[in-house]
């Protein structure tokens, strides 16, 4: 299927002068019949997406900060009980996860190509290498620091086109007993919930256990355990090790059986998904148009990366949304990619409370709804843009 012409999701424009040279690609997801990976077909160059003004600072969300602090404690107890362990992470961003290992005094190294977020990590005391991870990086890390006990990639393995370069690098970097932890939005949730906004260029793969095993199996690695959580709309945490080193857990076997029953490896599953996406789009536009016809003010809340897919595919324009409020300073006073809706600071939301707000950051519902309770008590409505599309 095609979601049409798309801009880079995090490419907020700093002024009208940038509109004419904006970069677009066609967002076309597909299922690989060989490895069962759900992926997009036309992929922009990584330098278009990850650079010195990358807009996503993971620590903006206090919920995610707590989530990764808990993950770090769990991983230390499970896998890092030996002498002088060494922890590595790709997509370490602003240090949201590694800061926990740094505070515990463990040897660690983040690998993060986006220079501005890498600087934020260093300011937190997190050792960070500015690089794209692959065989070369892995080899030089081993030469300098030795092999790693842990390799973490949260919300990052869906960003990297050359999976084989990462998997080959992991095979070089890890000790024989070493463990890789991957966590990102799960294909099973996306399909079940029709959360199509998970798909955009930075999310070029939406992973499943089946696809991950096929990809990493070529490099002698396999998934031996999984844990599901509800962050970012439903994520899977995969624990991978060298083939045969650890037995498959009961949780893994149960999750694999569920993948079979969801039909994640079958094309007809995605024919149905496409039809549901189209229904979802029509319902959202009918809701927004309904408010506009009554002369109400509608805005957006959370200029999320995934909002680019919803906004540009559904055809939401500045005529529908006056502005989008976002708490990330780097996104404020910019224009949203593609549709060019102004992005403003949350103070605007307080100063000019709208009648309805499309909650593009729906995955942070509890945190945001608690923050904006007085607005909702006074009659403000959230419009939920995907999954169950409704005004509440
Ligand atoms: N781990 C954090 C941040 C995820 S954002 C979290 O879970 O919230 C993804 C990060 O991956 C970005 O900071 C991006 O710059 C980085 N990245 C993209 N390609 C990469 C590569 N090839 N190697 C290492 N990091 C990469
Ligand atoms: P994410 O869904 O990729 O984590 O992005 C969340 C976006 O929403 C990010 O740009 C910050 C913004 N946001 C707010 O504006 N207010 C909030 O309270 C939260 C949690 C996020």
């Amino acid at each position: 299927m095609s979601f049409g012409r798309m801009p880079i999701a995090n490419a907020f424009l700093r002024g009208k002068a940038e509109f004419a040279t904006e970069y677009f690609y066609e967002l076309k997801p597909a299922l690989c019949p060989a490895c069962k990976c759900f992926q997009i077909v036309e992929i922009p160059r990584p330098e278009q997406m990850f650079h010195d003004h990358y807009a996503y600072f993971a620590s903006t969300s206090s919920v995610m900060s707590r989530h990764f602090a808990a993950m770090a404690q769990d991983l230390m107890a499970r896998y890092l009980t030996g002498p002088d362990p060494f922890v590595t992470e790709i997509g370490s961003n602003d240090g949201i996860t590694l800061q926990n290992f740094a505070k515990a005094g463990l040897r660690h190294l983040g690998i993060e190509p986006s220079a501005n977020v890498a600087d934020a990590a260093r300011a937190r005391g997190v050792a960070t290498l500015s690089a794209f991870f692959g065989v070369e990086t892995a080899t030089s890390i081993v030469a300098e620091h030795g092999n790693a006990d842990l390799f973490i990639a949260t919300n990052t393995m869906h960003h990297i086109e050359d999976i084989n370069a990462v998997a080959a690098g992991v095979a070089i970097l890890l000790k024989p007993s070493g463990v890789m932890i991957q966590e990102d939005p799960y294909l099973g949730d996306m399909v079940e919930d029709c959360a199509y906004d998970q798909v955009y260029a930075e999310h070029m793969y939406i992973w499943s256990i089946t696809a991950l095993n096929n990809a990493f199996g070529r490099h002698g690695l396999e998934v031996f355990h999984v844990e599901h959580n509800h962050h970012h709309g439903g994520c899977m945490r995969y624990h991978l090790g060298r083939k045969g080193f650890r037995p498959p857990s009961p949780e893994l076997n149960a999750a694999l059986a569920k993948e079979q029953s969801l039909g994640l490896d079958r094309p007809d599953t995605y024919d149905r998904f496409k039809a549901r996406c189209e229904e979802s789009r029509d319902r959202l536009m009918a809701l927004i148009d309904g408010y506009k016809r009554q002369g109400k003010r509608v805005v957006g809340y959370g200029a999320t990366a995934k909002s680019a897919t919803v906004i540009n595919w559904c055809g939401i324009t500045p005529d529908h949304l006056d502005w989008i409020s976002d708490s990330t300073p780097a996104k404020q006073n910019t224009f949203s990619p593609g549709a060019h809706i102004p992005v403003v600071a949350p103070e605007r939301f307080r100063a000019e409370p709208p009648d309805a707000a499309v909650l593009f950051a729906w995955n942070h519902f509890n945190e945001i709804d608690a923050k904006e309770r007085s607005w909702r008590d006074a009659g403000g409505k959230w419009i939920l843009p995907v999954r169950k599309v409704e005004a509440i």
Side-chain angles (χ1 to χ4, degrees):
M1 77 178 285
S2 176
F3 289 110
R5 227 168 76 95
M6 275 295 148
I8 299 293
N10 269 315
F12 293 86
L13 302 136
R14 282 174 280 194
K16 293 189 175 160
E18 294 180 11
F19 290 5
T21 54
E22 192 171 13
Y23 175 90
F24 288 90
Y25 66 100
E26 190 183 352
L27 181 59
K28 277 191 294 192
L31 181 78
C32 173
C35 71
K36 312 301 180 192
C37 197
F38 183 90
Q39 57 192 265
I40 67 168
V41 177
E42 185 184 331
I43 299 175
R45 279 183 299 115
E47 294 78 11
Q48 295 275 5
M49 301 183 273
F50 310 111
H51 37 56
D52 61 358
H53 51 276
Y54 185 64
Y56 184 70
F57 284 73
S59 302
T60 312
S61 164
S62 56
V63 170
M64 292 315 292
S65 294
R66 285 198 294 278
H67 172 67
F68 288 127
M71 178 180 84
Q73 294 308 322
D74 179 65
L75 295 177
M76 283 186 227
R78 271 181 204 259
Y79 302 124
L80 302 178
T81 49
D84 193 25
F86 178 40
V87 182
T88 53
E89 183 184 23
I90 58 169
S92 45
N93 198 265
D94 58 6
I96 183 169
T97 296
L98 277 185
Q99 64 181 345
N100 299 286
F101 296 97
K103 277 184 208 138
L106 299 191
R107 284 199 301 136
H108 65 274
L109 184 65
I111 300 111
E112 174 49 70
S114 296
N116 58 333
V117 290
D119 284 343
R122 291 185 193 104
R124 286 199 166 93
V126 171
T128 306
L129 188 69
S130 294
F132 288 96
F133 183 78
V135 168
E136 222 174 286
T137 323
T139 308
S140 71
I141 295 172
V142 172
E144 201 180 328
H145 304 273
N147 291 97
D149 296 85
L150 198 57
F151 176 89
I152 302 171
T154 65
N155 301 306
T156 296
M157 277 305 294
H158 50 7
H159 282 327
I160 305 177
E161 180 177 6
D162 192 352
I163 312 160
N164 285 304
V166 176
V170 174
I172 292 167
L173 181 60
L174 284 182
K175 289 180 183 167
S177 61
V179 171
M180 167 170 172
I181 296 294
Q182 175 173 330
E183 177 173 306
D184 36 48
Y186 178 53
L187 184 65
D189 292 300
M190 187 200 77
V191 167
E192 265 192 295
D193 297 343
C194 197
Y196 65 86
D197 60 348
Q198 295 290 4
V199 185
Y200 49 93
E202 288 96 321
H203 289 191
M204 56 189 76
Y205 304 101
I206 309 292
W207 287 101
S208 64
I209 307 169
T210 307
L212 198 61
N213 263 332
N214 286 334
F216 280 76
R218 296 187 205 120
H219 301 271
L221 299 156
E222 66 181 359
V223 179
F224 64 85
H225 179 53
V226 293
E227 298 165 89
H228 185 260
N229 67 60
H230 294 285
H231 295 288
H232 293 311
C235 282
M236 194 65 93
R237 181 179 298 168
Y238 310 88
H239 298 231
L240 295 93
R242 305 228 184 246
K243 272 188 188 166
F245 197 91
R246 289 180 176 82
S249 72
E251 291 85 350
L252 172 67
N253 293 332
L256 275 170
K258 179 146 191 232
E259 286 197 355
Q260 284 291 321
S261 71
L262 281 173
L264 294 189
D265 57 347
R266 289 205 319 266
D268 57 302
T269 305
Y270 302 93
D271 290 336
R272 281 196 301 280
F273 176 69
K274 177 179 180 219
R276 287 160 67 213
C277 288
E278 287 162 357
E279 281 164 26
S280 172
R281 172 191 62 192
D282 296 348
R283 191 171 158 78
L284 175 62
M285 294 316 286
L287 267 176
I288 296 176
D289 287 338
Y291 277 100
K292 294 305 284 184
R293 269 198 306 275
Q294 295 169 44
K296 307 267 188 186
R297 192 215 314 268
V298 186
V299 305
Y301 199 109
T304 56
K306 57 187 172 295
S307 72
T309 303
V310 178
I311 290 172
N312 292 288
W313 186 57
C314 295
I316 298 173
T317 67
D319 291 334
H320 297 103
L321 307 183
D322 292 14
W323 33 263
I324 304 172
S325 154
D326 195 284
S327 58
T328 313
K331 294 184 187 178
Q332 293 162 4
N333 305 315
T334 67
F335 295 92
S336 77
H340 305 157
I341 301 169
V343 180
V344 303
E347 287 70 37
R348 183 82 174 265
F349 191 86
R350 312 275 137 66
E352 299 171 31
D355 299 294
V358 181
L359 186 56
F360 294 115
W362 54 267
N363 49 311
H364 300 287
F365 182 87
N366 291 340
E367 183 171 359
I368 292 174
D369 190 49
K371 208 185 294 182
E372 307 301 351
R373 182 54 48 81
S374 58
W375 167 72
R376 272 239 283 166
D377 287 345
K381 294 278 188 200
W382 294 124
I383 296 176
L384 301 177
V386 295
R387 306 213 290 184
K388 190 160 189 282
V389 178
E390 58 183 349
I392 56 166

